[in-house]
Each structure stands twice: as C-alpha cells, then as structure tokens.
Amino acid sequence: MKHDYDDYDMEPVEGLPEKLPSGERLLWQGAPNARLMARRIFHTRALTLYFALLIFGHGVFSAHDSTSLAEIASSAVWMLALAATALAILYGLAIGYAKATVYTVTTDRIVIRFGLAIPLVINIPMRHVHAADMRTYDDGSGDIMLRVARHKAVSYVVLWPNVRPWSMLRAEPALRCLVNVEQAARAIASAAPTQAQHSATDQRGPSSLDPRVAPGAAVPG
C-alpha cells in the first residue's frame, strides 16, 4: 500500500518544531503566496515577455532571410515548447517553496520554517531584531525584511528565498510575498515595546504610516 509522506507531519504546531513554552503566545502565522513568488522571485512575468520577444524576433529575422513559413512555424513551436517548459518548472518551484514555508510571529520570536529537499527552521528572537522594514505593492501584498544583530547573521544561500534580495554580504531574513503584509507587520509591532520608533520602506517611496500598523517597527536588541 502506498503512503504519502510529509516531512512536516511530526510538527506539534504547524510551522513550529515544538509547542510554545509557557508564557509565549502565537500572534500571527502566514505563508508566501505561490503566484506572487512566481512573479517576484522567479520573475516569470518578465521571462514570459522575454521569451515572446525572442520568438517574435527569431521569426522576423528568419522571414528577412527568406526562410519558408513552414520552417519559421516549426522553429517557433520548438522555441515555444522550451519556453513553456522553463516557465512550468519555475511555477512548480514557486508552488513548492510556498507550500513548504510557514512564517510564525510570537511574543518572543519570529520563526521561518522552509525547505524543499531539506526541511529547516530558523528562530529569530525578537531581542535580536533591530528593525523590520516593509515593502508594499499596490495590491496590498508585500515583504517584511528583518535587520538582525550582526552576531546572528545567517547564510544568504541557506535562507533563500526568505531573504532580502541581494543582501549577500549580510543576509537579512525576510517574510516574502505576503498577500496581506500589514497583518504580519502589526503582529511584529505588537511584540515590540510601545516606545519603539517606527519607519517603513515602501515600493512607491518612503511614507509616514500609522504607528499602530508599524510596518517598520524597531525592536531593541
């Protein structure tokens, strides 16, 4: 008899390797959206445009060289098949990463559970988070980047894609492609002292936001 095996079946609480200790409360849980991951991390929209232009350009140059329509069509179908295969692989990776990833915010820490081939869990104590910067998009989705203490640095390669893009020298953990990023921001802010300073980095440029939303709540180390 065939049984489906899930690496995360043994979790006492989804996204957590163990039950929360006494006094620690769960504030928020979420996961990246697969469609947003495909578009913003694997760049499928840009690649679709690139492949379309490539196929169109190849057809134009072939026609200019007096290539027959049958040969142009055959070449276009072959290139289209390759492009569709590449995009399907990237969409599959986005779905897999999104399914394997769970972000958890508690009163004491931020937990990132992730990993396709090798399940990993990273605990980030709130006392080691110096600030949380939010990037938002017009549809209300966005990312939250965590600036952690230098001595708590993690590997960019290990943490990818749950990391601020291009922060290779000093990787910054990130909660990526959240459909409603402000819910996560409020949870992180609620775990910070009320006197914390608030800041934000927005996709449309810096803006002054309500401290209760606190997309960039600074958390003392």
PDB file of all heavy atoms in Angstrom, residues 6 10 14 44 46 50 55 79 89 95 103 111 149 155 169 172 194:
ATOM      1  N   ASP A   6       4.986  13.204   4.519  1.00  0.00           N
ATOM      2  CA  ASP A   6       5.155  14.649   4.657  1.00  0.00           C
ATOM      3  C   ASP A   6       6.208  14.904   5.720  1.00  0.00           C
ATOM      4  O   ASP A   6       6.093  14.432   6.852  1.00  0.00           O
ATOM      5  CB  ASP A   6       3.818  15.301   5.061  1.00  0.00           C
ATOM      6  CG  ASP A   6       3.884  16.825   5.014  1.00  0.00           C
ATOM      7  OD1 ASP A   6       4.997  17.372   5.058  1.00  0.00           O
ATOM      8  OD2 ASP A   6       2.811  17.456   4.948  1.00  0.00           O
ATOM      9  N   MET A  10       5.244  15.621  11.711  1.00  0.00           N
ATOM     10  CA  MET A  10       5.566  15.489  13.125  1.00  0.00           C
ATOM     11  C   MET A  10       5.516  16.812  13.882  1.00  0.00           C
ATOM     12  O   MET A  10       5.764  16.850  15.082  1.00  0.00           O
ATOM     13  CB  MET A  10       6.968  14.874  13.272  1.00  0.00           C
ATOM     14  CG  MET A  10       7.120  13.495  12.634  1.00  0.00           C
ATOM     15  SD  MET A  10       5.919  12.300  13.279  1.00  0.00           S
ATOM     16  CE  MET A  10       6.526  12.139  14.964  1.00  0.00           C
ATOM     17  N   GLU A  14       1.733  23.563  13.398  1.00  0.00           N
ATOM     18  CA  GLU A  14       2.201  23.824  12.039  1.00  0.00           C
ATOM     19  C   GLU A  14       3.199  24.982  12.016  1.00  0.00           C
ATOM     20  O   GLU A  14       2.938  26.056  12.546  1.00  0.00           O
ATOM     21  CB  GLU A  14       1.031  24.150  11.111  1.00  0.00           C
ATOM     22  CG  GLU A  14       1.468  24.336   9.656  1.00  0.00           C
ATOM     23  CD  GLU A  14       0.327  24.697   8.732  1.00  0.00           C
ATOM     24  OE1 GLU A  14      -0.768  25.010   9.231  1.00  0.00           O
ATOM     25  OE2 GLU A  14       0.542  24.669   7.511  1.00  0.00           O
ATOM     26  N   THR A  44       8.670  35.218 -13.473  1.00  0.00           N
ATOM     27  CA  THR A  44       8.023  34.542 -14.600  1.00  0.00           C
ATOM     28  C   THR A  44       7.368  35.523 -15.571  1.00  0.00           C
ATOM     29  O   THR A  44       7.321  35.260 -16.778  1.00  0.00           O
ATOM     30  CB  THR A  44       6.962  33.554 -14.089  1.00  0.00           C
ATOM     31  OG1 THR A  44       6.068  34.228 -13.184  1.00  0.00           O
ATOM     32  CG2 THR A  44       7.627  32.389 -13.350  1.00  0.00           C
ATOM     33  N   ALA A  46       8.417  38.609 -16.355  1.00  0.00           N
ATOM     34  CA  ALA A  46       9.472  39.181 -17.191  1.00  0.00           C
ATOM     35  C   ALA A  46      10.015  38.137 -18.164  1.00  0.00           C
ATOM     36  O   ALA A  46      10.311  38.452 -19.330  1.00  0.00           O
ATOM     37  CB  ALA A  46      10.597  39.713 -16.307  1.00  0.00           C
ATOM     38  N   TYR A  50      10.195  38.125 -22.203  1.00  0.00           N
ATOM     39  CA  TYR A  50      11.481  37.877 -22.873  1.00  0.00           C
ATOM     40  C   TYR A  50      11.356  36.768 -23.915  1.00  0.00           C
ATOM     41  O   TYR A  50      11.822  36.915 -25.056  1.00  0.00           O
ATOM     42  CB  TYR A  50      12.535  37.503 -21.828  1.00  0.00           C
ATOM     43  CG  TYR A  50      13.810  36.963 -22.420  1.00  0.00           C
ATOM     44  CD1 TYR A  50      14.741  37.823 -22.998  1.00  0.00           C
ATOM     45  CD2 TYR A  50      14.074  35.591 -22.411  1.00  0.00           C
ATOM     46  CE1 TYR A  50      15.915  37.330 -23.562  1.00  0.00           C
ATOM     47  CE2 TYR A  50      15.249  35.094 -22.973  1.00  0.00           C
ATOM     48  CZ  TYR A  50      16.165  35.959 -23.540  1.00  0.00           C
ATOM     49  OH  TYR A  50      17.308  35.468 -24.093  1.00  0.00           O
ATOM     50  N   ILE A  55      11.039  34.827 -29.496  1.00  0.00           N
ATOM     51  CA  ILE A  55      10.393  34.040 -30.547  1.00  0.00           C
ATOM     52  C   ILE A  55       9.965  34.940 -31.713  1.00  0.00           C
ATOM     53  O   ILE A  55      10.154  34.606 -32.886  1.00  0.00           O
ATOM     54  CB  ILE A  55       9.186  33.269 -29.971  1.00  0.00           C
ATOM     55  CG1 ILE A  55       9.672  32.227 -28.957  1.00  0.00           C
ATOM     56  CG2 ILE A  55       8.385  32.608 -31.081  1.00  0.00           C
ATOM     57  CD1 ILE A  55       8.558  31.559 -28.172  1.00  0.00           C
ATOM     58  N   MET A  79      10.653  26.522 -29.996  1.00  0.00           N
ATOM     59  CA  MET A  79      11.076  27.510 -29.008  1.00  0.00           C
ATOM     60  C   MET A  79       9.975  27.753 -27.970  1.00  0.00           C
ATOM     61  O   MET A  79      10.243  27.921 -26.778  1.00  0.00           O
ATOM     62  CB  MET A  79      11.442  28.826 -29.696  1.00  0.00           C
ATOM     63  CG  MET A  79      12.664  28.735 -30.598  1.00  0.00           C
ATOM     64  SD  MET A  79      13.010  30.280 -31.477  1.00  0.00           S
ATOM     65  CE  MET A  79      13.498  31.337 -30.113  1.00  0.00           C
ATOM     66  N   ILE A  89       8.529  24.862 -14.919  1.00  0.00           N
ATOM     67  CA  ILE A  89       9.455  24.481 -13.847  1.00  0.00           C
ATOM     68  C   ILE A  89       9.512  25.565 -12.783  1.00  0.00           C
ATOM     69  O   ILE A  89       9.473  25.287 -11.578  1.00  0.00           O
ATOM     70  CB  ILE A  89      10.851  24.211 -14.429  1.00  0.00           C
ATOM     71  CG1 ILE A  89      10.839  22.945 -15.281  1.00  0.00           C
ATOM     72  CG2 ILE A  89      11.889  24.085 -13.301  1.00  0.00           C
ATOM     73  CD1 ILE A  89      12.128  22.699 -16.026  1.00  0.00           C
ATOM     74  N   ILE A  95       5.390  27.075  -6.320  1.00  0.00           N
ATOM     75  CA  ILE A  95       4.350  26.359  -5.572  1.00  0.00           C
ATOM     76  C   ILE A  95       4.979  25.537  -4.456  1.00  0.00           C
ATOM     77  O   ILE A  95       4.504  25.508  -3.319  1.00  0.00           O
ATOM     78  CB  ILE A  95       3.524  25.470  -6.514  1.00  0.00           C
ATOM     79  CG1 ILE A  95       2.715  26.335  -7.482  1.00  0.00           C
ATOM     80  CG2 ILE A  95       2.601  24.551  -5.723  1.00  0.00           C
ATOM     81  CD1 ILE A  95       2.023  25.542  -8.578  1.00  0.00           C
ATOM     82  N   TYR A 103       5.579  31.212   8.029  1.00  0.00           N
ATOM     83  CA  TYR A 103       6.120  32.272   8.868  1.00  0.00           C
ATOM     84  C   TYR A 103       5.289  32.356  10.146  1.00  0.00           C
ATOM     85  O   TYR A 103       4.053  32.370  10.090  1.00  0.00           O
ATOM     86  CB  TYR A 103       6.069  33.617   8.152  1.00  0.00           C
ATOM     87  CG  TYR A 103       6.793  33.646   6.823  1.00  0.00           C
ATOM     88  CD1 TYR A 103       6.166  34.127   5.678  1.00  0.00           C
ATOM     89  CD2 TYR A 103       8.112  33.219   6.716  1.00  0.00           C
ATOM     90  CE1 TYR A 103       6.827  34.179   4.463  1.00  0.00           C
ATOM     91  CE2 TYR A 103       8.787  33.259   5.498  1.00  0.00           C
ATOM     92  CZ  TYR A 103       8.133  33.742   4.380  1.00  0.00           C
ATOM     93  OH  TYR A 103       8.788  33.785   3.180  1.00  0.00           O
ATOM     94  N   VAL A 111       9.667  32.880  13.584  1.00  0.00           N
ATOM     95  CA  VAL A 111      10.115  31.567  13.142  1.00  0.00           C
ATOM     96  C   VAL A 111       9.853  31.431  11.650  1.00  0.00           C
ATOM     97  O   VAL A 111       8.749  31.702  11.174  1.00  0.00           O
ATOM     98  CB  VAL A 111       9.394  30.432  13.905  1.00  0.00           C
ATOM     99  CG1 VAL A 111       9.926  29.073  13.475  1.00  0.00           C
ATOM    100  CG2 VAL A 111       9.556  30.616  15.417  1.00  0.00           C
ATOM    101  N   ALA A 149      20.753  41.356  14.588  1.00  0.00           N
ATOM    102  CA  ALA A 149      22.064  41.631  15.170  1.00  0.00           C
ATOM    103  C   ALA A 149      23.149  40.964  14.350  1.00  0.00           C
ATOM    104  O   ALA A 149      22.973  39.857  13.832  1.00  0.00           O
ATOM    105  CB  ALA A 149      22.101  41.137  16.613  1.00  0.00           C
ATOM    106  N   SER A 155      23.236  32.502   6.602  1.00  0.00           N
ATOM    107  CA  SER A 155      23.704  32.365   5.234  1.00  0.00           C
ATOM    108  C   SER A 155      22.625  32.772   4.241  1.00  0.00           C
ATOM    109  O   SER A 155      21.471  32.329   4.337  1.00  0.00           O
ATOM    110  CB  SER A 155      24.127  30.916   4.976  1.00  0.00           C
ATOM    111  OG  SER A 155      24.314  30.686   3.594  1.00  0.00           O
ATOM    112  N   LEU A 169      26.277  40.075   1.491  1.00  0.00           N
ATOM    113  CA  LEU A 169      27.349  40.268   2.458  1.00  0.00           C
ATOM    114  C   LEU A 169      26.838  40.144   3.890  1.00  0.00           C
ATOM    115  O   LEU A 169      27.541  39.645   4.773  1.00  0.00           O
ATOM    116  CB  LEU A 169      28.011  41.632   2.247  1.00  0.00           C
ATOM    117  CG  LEU A 169      28.757  41.797   0.911  1.00  0.00           C
ATOM    118  CD1 LEU A 169      29.357  43.188   0.814  1.00  0.00           C
ATOM    119  CD2 LEU A 169      29.841  40.736   0.768  1.00  0.00           C
ATOM    120  N   GLU A 172      19.721  39.410   5.273  1.00  0.00           N
ATOM    121  CA  GLU A 172      18.621  39.876   6.114  1.00  0.00           C
ATOM    122  C   GLU A 172      17.422  38.958   5.900  1.00  0.00           C
ATOM    123  O   GLU A 172      16.858  38.923   4.806  1.00  0.00           O
ATOM    124  CB  GLU A 172      18.253  41.321   5.787  1.00  0.00           C
ATOM    125  CG  GLU A 172      19.389  42.304   6.057  1.00  0.00           C
ATOM    126  CD  GLU A 172      18.979  43.736   5.775  1.00  0.00           C
ATOM    127  OE1 GLU A 172      17.768  43.978   5.556  1.00  0.00           O
ATOM    128  OE2 GLU A 172      19.863  44.610   5.785  1.00  0.00           O
ATOM    129  N   THR A 194       6.086  49.685  23.165  1.00  0.00           N
ATOM    130  CA  THR A 194       5.258  50.763  22.628  1.00  0.00           C
ATOM    131  C   THR A 194       6.072  52.013  22.326  1.00  0.00           C
ATOM    132  O   THR A 194       5.665  52.828  21.496  1.00  0.00           O
ATOM    133  CB  THR A 194       4.146  51.112  23.621  1.00  0.00           C
ATOM    134  OG1 THR A 194       4.752  51.461  24.881  1.00  0.00           O
ATOM    135  CG2 THR A 194       3.214  49.952  23.830  1.00  0.00           C
TER     136      THR A 194
END
